[in-house]
Amino acid sequence: MFEKELQKLTKDNLLRRIIARSSPQKPVIRIRGRRLLNFSSNDYLGLASHPEIIRAALSATAKYAFGAGASRLLAGGCILHEKLEREIAAFKQTDAALIFNSGYAANTGIIPAMTSGDCTIFSDELNHASIIDGCRLSRAGTVIYRHKDIAHLKTLMKKDSSKRKIIITDTVFSMDGDIAPLQELYRLCQEFESLAPGSVLLYLDDAHGTGVLGKGKGALSHFSLSPQPWLLQMGTFSKALGSFGAFAAGSHDIITWIANTARSFIFSTALPPCIIAASQTAIKLLKKDRALVDRLWANRARLTEGLRELGVDISGSETPIIPVLTGSIKNAVRLSEDLFQRGIYAPAIRPPSVKEPRVRLTISAAHEEKHITRLLKALRDCRDAFAAGKKRKIKQPG
Ligand code: PMP
């Protein structure tokens, strides 16, 4: 079964392989017995392996057991879940917050929950797959606007006659590393709200902004924007916070509505207490040590400067997510493999994840200067080897 389909994927260089690490998630990892520098993880602050987080997870397991046993509505959650929600609301300066089991579960649960009634979704064309799936599940009319194109969005919104319009965007686009124009989006929502209160909702997926932008507080803080009753922020614990799971933060009414209607919240077992304790500790560390975020940005600056000197096209990246565009799937796979041979792990990203194939580099606060130097040297060597190979091919007769 699926033999032909698999053959086609292989022929098109699109067959994906699951890769298993035999070491902890860190800047240096082990895959298939090889020691590699890791430039693929979303663990932007290096918290996944932080000893305080590991200790907190162990002690929560000892105190509250491992499995949650049931959904939150059936007492699967413990007081740690509630405490984390209060902490997230305070961190985000919102009335309330709600924990979800993953970012994927949040988007596929929240989006359908928000779209009951006469409603149209406006979604950036480069939004994450979990948003796309949330829109599909919602069965609401979904209008795709050109990437970050506010004029286009405004035109589409004006043409739409539904009672409520929901704008959805990644704050940091996960494969390109550019930042959504939140100030313009915010102003646009204010405009619609002033004409008809309750007519618009802005939903921000801050998965890659949390812990990274706004000195770690996220995208809204990065733009000095304040929360609003018409704004809902989603963020994940699974990336910069080095843990697992996600949250929604917004007004009391929106959060209560979601807790009552989001199917991925209602019909799924709560996260184990150890994960909640890990997320709590990550927030505490982030608040305590702002140098963590500074280190991340200093490393990013070092890497992008080196890439610029090498003449590498990093497209519109503004964050620790740095795509190296390769022009073809074959080149993306080849660059990733060549880097692997030189001790670097940086995966090729291909359709359907992206339209333009690339190698996606991510940098973290935990990388050391020597790691960045090695990556740059490996990229230079790959480029030179590629150019030499091309020349050889041209010289060959026939
Ligand atoms: N939103 C965005 C923008 C993401 O990049 C991701 C994960 N890659 C998710 C949501 C899903 O988050 P999680 O991995 O916690 O399910």
Side-chain angles (χ1 to χ4, degrees):
M1 213 188 278
F2 296 114
E3 203 178 314
K4 278 206 182 102
E5 289 87 341
L6 285 169
Q7 273 167 5
K8 176 150 178 26
L9 282 182
T10 308
K11 186 173 148 272
D12 295 343
N13 266 317
L14 290 175
L15 189 74
R16 293 152 191 253
R17 267 180 310 166
I18 297 173
I19 299 186
R21 250 184 303 114
S22 56
S23 65
Q25 175 61 262
K26 277 188 169 184
V28 181
I29 53 173
R30 233 166 223 292
I31 296 175
R32 283 182 253 132
R34 288 196 64 149
R35 189 176 174 276
L36 298 158
L37 290 182
N38 183 9
F39 286 96
S40 76
S41 145
N42 301 318
D43 179 24
Y44 302 117
L45 299 176
L47 291 179
S49 54
H50 197 289
E52 242 184 89
I53 292 184
I54 295 168
R55 265 199 303 276
L58 290 172
S59 110
T61 304
K63 200 160 173 193
Y64 296 100
F66 180 76
S71 75
R72 291 289 299 288
L73 298 175
L74 300 179
C78 65
I79 49 173
L80 294 183
H81 293 70
E82 269 183 7
K83 191 157 176 272
L84 178 59
E85 283 168 348
R86 281 198 301 277
E87 283 167 1
I88 288 294
F91 190 57
K92 291 282 179 184
Q93 292 170 308
T94 56
D95 297 346
L98 189 69
I99 297 169
F100 278 81
N101 288 0
S102 70
Y104 189 89
N107 282 336
T108 50
I110 294 170
I111 298 171
M114 290 190 309
T115 48
S116 56
D118 182 14
C119 171
T120 303
I121 298 173
F122 295 84
S123 177
D124 187 290
E125 69 177 321
L126 293 192
N127 276 344
H128 189 255
S130 54
I131 294 180
I132 297 171
D133 293 355
C135 294
R136 286 178 183 154
L137 274 172
S138 79
R139 297 201 216 126
T142 301
V143 178
I144 309 295
Y145 63 91
R146 285 194 291 267
H147 183 48
K148 300 200 295 187
D149 187 337
I150 302 298
H152 187 222
L153 169 62
K154 201 168 173 175
T155 310
L156 295 170
M157 282 174 79
K158 284 198 166 149
K159 270 197 227 156
D160 178 76
S161 61
S162 59
K163 275 208 187 111
R164 182 175 292 143
K165 301 174 202 325
I166 301 187
I167 304 171
I168 306 182
T169 184
D170 283 16
T171 57
V172 173
F173 290 88
S174 57
M175 292 298 144
D176 293 79
D178 54 342
I179 302 175
L182 290 197
Q183 270 160 325
E184 287 94 324
L185 286 167
Y186 196 90
R187 232 177 282 130
L188 185 63
C189 290
Q190 280 176 324
E191 228 176 85
F192 274 83
E193 267 298 295
S194 66
L195 294 171
S199 64
V200 77
L201 185 66
L202 179 58
Y203 179 60
L204 303 179
D205 176 335
D206 206 19
H208 297 275
T210 305
V212 171
L213 295 180
K215 300 209 179 302
K217 289 190 97 178
L220 214 55
S221 184
H222 173 78
F223 286 102
S224 305
L225 299 169
S226 43
Q228 295 290 342
W230 44 261
L231 200 158
L232 182 63
Q233 300 173 70
M234 172 278 213
T236 54
F237 297 111
S238 52
K239 297 179 172 66
L241 297 174
S243 177
F244 188 68
F247 62 84
S251 74
H252 191 267
D253 282 356
I254 293 187
I255 296 299
T256 309
W257 174 252
I258 290 171
N260 279 274
T261 53
R263 294 170 68 83
S264 63
F265 175 79
I266 299 170
F267 297 110
S268 195
T269 299
L271 285 176
C274 60
I275 290 175
I276 305 299
S279 301
Q280 238 166 1
T281 309
I283 296 280
K284 191 183 87 187
L285 291 169
L286 178 63
K287 281 199 215 149
K288 197 171 82 180
D289 183 10
R290 285 289 156 88
L292 256 183
V293 183
D294 294 344
R295 239 182 349 260
L296 166 66
W297 284 95
N299 277 349
R300 183 197 181 267
R302 224 168 268 146
L303 176 57
T304 49
E305 198 185 306
L307 291 171
R308 210 167 300 121
E309 277 166 19
L310 276 180
V312 171
D313 176 9
I314 63 164
S315 193
S317 164
E318 302 170 80
T319 65
I321 300 168
I322 304 167
V324 175
L325 299 181
T326 52
S328 70
I329 296 173
K330 207 167 149 202
N331 285 348
V333 173
R334 176 169 171 189
L335 177 57
S336 176
E337 278 171 3
D338 287 357
L339 284 170
F340 193 94
Q341 292 312 320
R342 288 169 173 82
I344 306 284
Y345 183 60
I349 311 286
R350 300 163 267 185
S353 302
V354 290
K355 268 192 210 144
E356 289 176 82
R358 65 200 60 192
V359 165
R360 178 183 184 261
L361 300 173
T362 50
I363 184 85
S364 106
H367 282 114
E368 294 171 28
E369 180 143 12
K370 64 180 182 201
H371 298 150
I372 299 172
T373 307
R374 266 191 59 198
L375 168 64
L376 290 168
K377 179 174 183 319
L379 281 166
R380 189 180 313 114
D381 291 349
C382 288
R383 183 195 62 187
D384 293 349
F386 187 75
K390 252 188 168 176
K391 257 193 217 151
R392 251 196 319 277
K393 258 191 202 152
I394 293 165
K395 272 188 200 157
Q396 278 164 8

